[in-house]
Amino acid sequence: MTELDAVKAALKTQAVETPSWAYGNSGTRFKVFAQQGVPRDPREKLADAAKVHEFTGAAPTVALHIPWDTVDDYAALAKYAEELGLRLGTINSNTFQDDAYKLGSVCHPDAAVRRKALDHLFACVDVMDATGSKDLKVWLADGTNYPGQDDIRERQDRLAEALSAVYDRLGDDQRLLLEYKLFEPAFYSTDVPDWGTAYAHCLKLGDKAQVVVDTGHHAPGTNIEFIVATLLREGKLGAFDFNSRFYADDDLMAGAADPFQLFRIMYEVVRGGGFTPDIAFMLDQCHNIEAKIPAIIRSVMNVQEATAKALLVDREALARAQRSGDVLDANAVLMDAYNTDVRPLLAEVREESGLDPDPMAAYRRSGWAERIVAERVGGEQAGWGA
């Protein structure tokens, strides 16, 4: 097998999970702009996700968010996903949209509120059991707005206690994925603000607990690829939430603002042995002004392009330059790969997989956009209000 054949074979194994909420209406804290044809229930979200997978061949799973995707029969929803050629993936918890959580959820000073949040996390594991999902993703909005509002150390103790209880509830083949975020909605202290805090809790919990890296959840200038390399080295990188940002957690299309950063991250993934099914690659995006499905297709394509370039890095030449201390040559090796136009290569990969070489054009020709606008009339669109 030639080197190029190996790259193509690797690209054919790539899977990017799409999030159910990206198909619904979303916006900023100021306004949500509704779009025609937006799904009204989880099944319609899955139908849209199936179109993304149909045209990219690289989006076989869909993440659910509870309670946004609550249904009476989760096993039936999983069966419906299978009929569409999909699987239900990560189950995302929600302990931030209830009045009780104003001062936090599992870190709240009131034991009754902590119990309410913990019961929700247990319910999410129940959903995993019903759907066959392997991963529970926990992102907490917990934190404080003012110095002295609560005891920072005690909040960490409460967090550890809750995470331990959830960890013990997991099955042997299930994981707890802990996500961190620098700030928002808490502005003085956030209870899981960075990868170090998440790593420390996961390390104490055990092998079934790993860290989620959301590319939008860092301070400006943060070297995210260093975090990725470190977590891979420690065996604690569990998943990615891909999006793009200019300022904070903007949740723009992956690779839109800084495609070079996405390439650098994917290189560390490849270099560190993370290009495996054990690392979950998911989009975490809200498409506020652009059409939902094409934006998700474009994001999947952007991740594929960054991955293809990462796979094309001449690692032997790079290692030689690094060992000899040749700074310019080492940088040039990376830049040569990044500057490669991989679109023809990916078109070949798609054609060899029986797909249209241009997913965006194929979607436009499919008529799906016009169909859902005509059929999804009435009812309540999925999304959140502002």
Side-chain angles (χ1 to χ4, degrees):
M1 179 183 290
T2 68
E3 183 178 346
L4 188 59
D5 288 336
V7 170
K8 291 166 73 174
L11 289 169
K12 289 175 184 176
T13 69
Q14 187 165 33
V16 180
E17 187 163 284
T18 69
S20 66
W21 55 95
Y23 298 97
N25 284 324
S26 61
T28 68
R29 61 193 178 95
F30 299 108
K31 173 65 177 173
V32 170
F33 296 101
Q35 297 183 17
Q36 292 181 306
V38 163
R40 297 162 296 181
D41 56 50
R43 286 184 171 237
E44 290 185 345
K45 293 178 184 178
L46 291 177
D48 285 353
K51 290 300 173 182
V52 175
H53 184 48
E54 176 183 340
F55 296 117
T56 65
T61 60
V62 181
L64 299 184
H65 206 295
I66 307 301
W68 298 345
D69 295 314
T70 298
V71 294
D72 293 332
D73 190 334
Y74 288 101
L77 187 66
K79 186 170 188 271
Y80 179 68
E82 290 178 9
E83 292 170 358
L84 295 173
L86 300 171
R87 299 189 312 277
L88 297 182
T90 307
I91 303 301
N92 291 258
S93 60
N94 182 324
T95 55
F96 52 87
Q97 283 190 314
D98 189 295
D99 285 346
Y101 301 140
K102 182 170 67 173
L103 300 180
S105 60
V106 296
C107 300
H108 198 288
D110 187 333
V113 176
R114 297 200 299 273
R115 183 72 243 180
K116 175 185 176 73
L118 189 58
D119 286 344
H120 169 72
L121 295 174
F122 287 160
C124 287
V125 180
D126 291 340
V127 174
M128 294 168 66
D129 293 339
T131 60
S133 301
K134 303 301 182 185
D135 292 337
L136 170 67
K137 187 181 294 179
V138 176
W139 172 74
L140 300 168
D142 292 36
T144 65
N145 276 1
Y146 295 98
Q149 177 183 323
D150 200 358
D151 187 287
I152 292 176
R153 178 162 176 165
E154 283 188 10
R155 292 181 74 91
Q156 288 297 308
D157 292 340
R158 299 167 200 156
L159 172 62
E161 182 180 358
L163 292 176
S164 179
V166 175
Y167 187 89
D168 290 343
R169 170 67 180 78
L170 295 174
D172 293 338
D173 60 345
Q174 295 174 335
R175 299 188 300 178
L176 188 159
L177 302 178
L178 183 59
E179 186 174 351
Y180 59 90
K181 186 177 183 181
L182 176 66
F183 76 102
E184 191 190 37
F187 290 102
Y188 171 65
S189 68
T190 299
D191 291 316
V192 190
D194 51 39
W195 72 274
T197 305
Y199 172 74
H201 281 284
C202 289
L203 190 63
K204 199 165 190 177
L205 288 169
D207 293 339
K208 294 187 296 184
Q210 294 183 303
V211 180
V212 179
V213 174
D214 185 308
T215 52
H217 285 188
H218 305 84
T222 298
N223 190 317
I224 299 174
E225 54 268 34
F226 173 83
I227 298 170
V228 171
T230 301
L231 289 173
L232 277 171
R233 182 174 180 272
E234 298 299 324
K236 279 297 183 182
L237 179 63
F240 282 98
D241 280 1
F242 283 129
N243 51 56
S244 207
R245 48 76 65 86
F246 284 100
Y247 299 107
D249 188 19
D250 304 337
D251 283 352
L252 303 174
M253 292 187 300
D258 190 351
F260 185 45
Q261 181 189 65
L262 184 56
F263 159 75
R264 299 192 311 265
I265 290 170
M266 288 310 303
Y267 172 70
E268 292 301 334
V269 169
V270 172
R271 162 68 180 85
F275 193 56
T276 72
D278 293 331
I279 309 296
F281 298 93
M282 194 194 84
L283 304 178
D284 184 10
Q285 303 172 185
C286 293
H287 304 292
N288 303 338
I289 59 175
E290 66 271 35
K292 316 290 182 182
I293 301 173
I296 298 170
I297 291 175
R298 174 60 65 190
S299 293
V300 172
M301 294 172 67
N302 288 349
V303 174
Q304 289 178 309
E305 289 178 17
T307 304
K309 293 178 179 185
L311 290 166
L312 287 173
V313 172
D314 187 336
R315 291 171 59 183
E316 290 185 5
L318 181 60
R320 284 196 302 270
Q322 290 170 340
R323 285 194 300 267
S324 66
D326 195 327
V327 176
L328 293 178
D329 271 5
N331 179 251
V333 171
L334 277 182
M335 295 309 299
D336 283 345
Y338 176 69
N339 289 323
T340 302
D341 184 356
V342 296
R343 290 173 297 179
L345 171 64
L346 284 163
E348 285 183 27
V349 169
R350 294 182 186 111
E351 287 183 314
E352 290 174 4
S353 301
L355 301 170
D356 190 290
D358 186 343
M360 292 290 283
Y363 174 72
R364 285 193 294 267
R365 291 195 306 269
S366 72
W368 184 255
E370 294 78 13
R371 176 179 168 182
I372 58 179
V373 168
E375 294 182 354
R376 296 175 185 172
V377 178
E380 184 177 351
Q381 292 184 324
W384 50 274

